[in-house]
Amino acid sequence: MDKVNELKEKGNQALSAEKFDEAVAAYTEAIALDDQNHVLYSNRSAAFAKAGKFQEALEDAEKTIQLNPTWPKGYSRKGAAAAGLNDFMKAFEAYNEGLKYDPTNAILLQGRMETTASALSFMQSQGDIPMDVDPQQARSRRAPSPPPAKPAEPPKPAEPRVEDMTEEQKNKYFAKKEKELGNAAYKKKDFETALKHYNAAIEHDPTDITFYNNIAAVHFERKEYEECIKQCEKGIEVGRESRADFKLIAKSFARIGNTYRKLENYKQAKVFYEKAMSEHRTPEIKTSLSEVEAKIKEEERMAYINPEKAEEEKEQGNLFFKKGDYSTAVKHYTEAIKRNPDDPKLYSNRAACYTKLAAFDLGLKDCDTCIKLDEKFIKGYIRKGKILQGMQQQSKAQAAYQKALELDPNNAEAIEGYRQCSMNFQRNPQEVLKNAMSDPEIQQILKDPAMRMILEQMQNDPNAVKEHLQNPAIADKIMKLLESGIIQIH
C-alpha cells in the first residue's frame, strides 16, 4: 500500500501543477495496484474533468459511487462530469443524491446551484427559453418535470475557438485533428492516407510520441519492417525528451520487439521486449517475451545437433560401459542425445546404464522414448522388459517381451524374458526364493561377508545402493540378486 500512496501523492502534485496527463497516469498506475480504492477513481475523475475529458471523468465518478455509495464526494464528481457533458439533468440528480447523505455539504449545494444556472444559460442559447422569461420562473416551472430519457450518446463538448488559442494550443489542436483523420484511414486500411495525416500531425507537433508510434504501426502492417523500427526509435527519442508517458515508450519498444519477431530475429526481439517490460509490464508483453525465449531455446537446441559428434560421444559411452563405469557412460550418452535427439539407439544405451545403476525409473523413461521414436525398435522393448523384471513387475515385463515377439517371433532374448516372466508369474514368492537359493552363484554371493554387509546397509539405507553400484563387480552381483528375486529395489 505504500506504493499506492506514493503514486496517489504523485498524482495529487501533478494535478495541483495542472499536469493533468501526468496525474491521470499516476492514478491509473495506483488503480492497477488497488482497484477497489474509491479515492483513486475519484481523484482520476477530477484529473479527467480538468483535462476536459468529461466522459472518462463520468465513468470514474460512477465507479467511485459503486465502490462507496455513501461518500458525498463521488456524487460531486459525477455532477461536475455530467455538467461538462451538458447533461444537466444527470448532474442535478447526482448533486441531489449526494445531499441525501450530507444535506449541508457546501460543494454539493454550490454544484446544484451552478448546474441550474448553467442549464438555463444553455437552454437560452439554444432558444429553449424566451429572453423575456424570468429565469426563476422557468426554473420553478421546469423543476417538477420528470427526468428525460437517457440519450443514446451524451452531447459532445463544444469545439474550442481556434482564434482564442495560443500558438502552441493551435499546433496541438491541429495535430490532434490530423491524428484522428489518420486513425480513421488506418482502420479502413488506407495506409497511404493514414501516413499523410500522421506526418501532417508531426509537422504541427513534433513532440508527441503517439504520432511516431502510429506511423510505425502503418509500416508494420505494410511489412516495411526496417522503416517501422526507425520510426519507433525516433518516437522513443522524442518521448524521452518530452517526458512522455512510460506506457507509450513501452509500446514503442514492444513494437520493435514484434518487428524483430516477424523477421525471426528472436534474440533481438527478446532484447526489446525486456526493454518494454522495464518501462511498463503488461500480460501481453510478458507472453510475447516467454514465446520468443522458447523460440531461442529451440533454435539453440537445433543448432547444437551434430550426428557426427553424437556418434563420437556414443563410442565413448560404449567404452566406459564396457569398463563398468556406468556413471561416466551416462554422461557421454546424454551428450550424444543432445547432439542427435532422434536416434533411438542412444536412449536404449543410456537405459542399459540406468539399469546397471538401478535407476529403473530413468531407464524406463528412456525405453519409452526410444520406442516412441521407433515403434519397431525391438531392443527398446527388451530393455523395458528387463527393467520391469528388475522392478518385480512381471506382468508388465511380459507385455513388453510380447511386443518384441510380435516384431520378431524368433528373438532369443525376448523368448527367454517372456519365459522367465511366465514362470515367475505362476510361482509363489516362497518358490521363487527356494529356486534362487539353489543357484550356486547366488549362494556364493550371499556367503560373501562383504556382500552381506552391503545388503544389510542397503536394507537400512536404500540410498546406499547408488554408491555401491559405482563398483562394477558389486553392481553385477546386485543385478544377479535382483533378477533372481532375492532382493527388490523400488
Side-chain angles (χ1 to χ4, degrees), residues 317-431:
N318 293 346
L319 183 63
F320 282 101
F321 185 89
K322 288 174 184 176
K323 291 179 181 179
D325 188 350
Y326 305 121
S327 295
T328 304
V330 164
K331 291 178 183 177
H332 286 287
Y333 289 138
T334 299
E335 180 63 19
I337 287 169
K338 289 179 182 177
R339 292 291 189 177
N340 191 5
D342 296 327
D343 186 348
K345 293 189 291 295
L346 300 175
Y347 296 94
S348 175
N349 289 6
R350 191 170 67 175
C353 290
Y354 284 139
T355 304
K356 292 290 187 181
L357 294 168
F360 295 130
D361 53 339
L362 296 175
L364 199 58
K365 184 178 179 183
D366 271 355
C367 288
D368 287 335
T369 301
C370 71
I371 291 168
K372 184 178 179 181
L373 289 170
D374 184 357
E375 293 181 354
K376 296 182 179 181
F377 188 62
I378 295 175
K379 198 73 174 176
Y381 295 104
I382 293 173
R383 292 247 193 261
K384 185 174 182 179
K386 287 183 179 297
I387 290 172
L388 290 167
Q389 273 186 289
M391 298 172 75
Q392 302 302 314
Q393 297 183 22
Q394 303 298 334
S395 60
K396 290 183 179 179
Q398 191 175 42
Y401 288 127
Q402 176 65 41
K403 188 66 180 177
L405 289 169
E406 288 174 11
L407 296 170
D408 182 5
N410 300 317
N411 188 285
E413 281 189 277
I415 292 171
E416 178 59 22
Y418 190 87
R419 187 187 67 80
Q420 289 178 2
C421 289
S422 298
M423 291 174 60
N424 291 334
F425 193 68
Q426 292 169 6
R427 292 182 296 183
N428 59 43
Q430 289 80 10
E431 188 179 350

Side-chain angles (χ1 to χ4, degrees), residues 1 97 127 217 219 232 278 303 321 347 424 446:
M1 290 300 104
E97 191 67 19
H219 288 303
C232 287
S278 69
F321 185 89
Y347 296 94
N424 291 334
L446 294 176

Side-chain angles (χ1 to χ4, degrees), residues 19-45:
K19 296 178 180 178
F20 306 127
D21 288 343
E22 287 184 25
V24 166
Y27 294 138
T28 300
E29 190 176 356
I31 287 169
L33 298 173
D34 184 6
D35 62 354
Q36 298 300 305
N37 190 326
H38 64 280
V39 177
L40 297 175
Y41 286 98
S42 172
N43 290 6
R44 191 170 70 173
S45 175

Side-chain angles (χ1 to χ4, degrees), residues 95-116:
Y95 288 126
N96 274 343
E97 191 67 19
L99 287 167
K100 290 179 182 179
Y101 300 104
D102 187 358
T104 61
N105 188 290
I107 295 174
L108 292 170
L109 290 168
Q110 183 179 355
R112 186 174 65 175
M113 183 178 68
E114 289 176 354
T115 297
T116 304

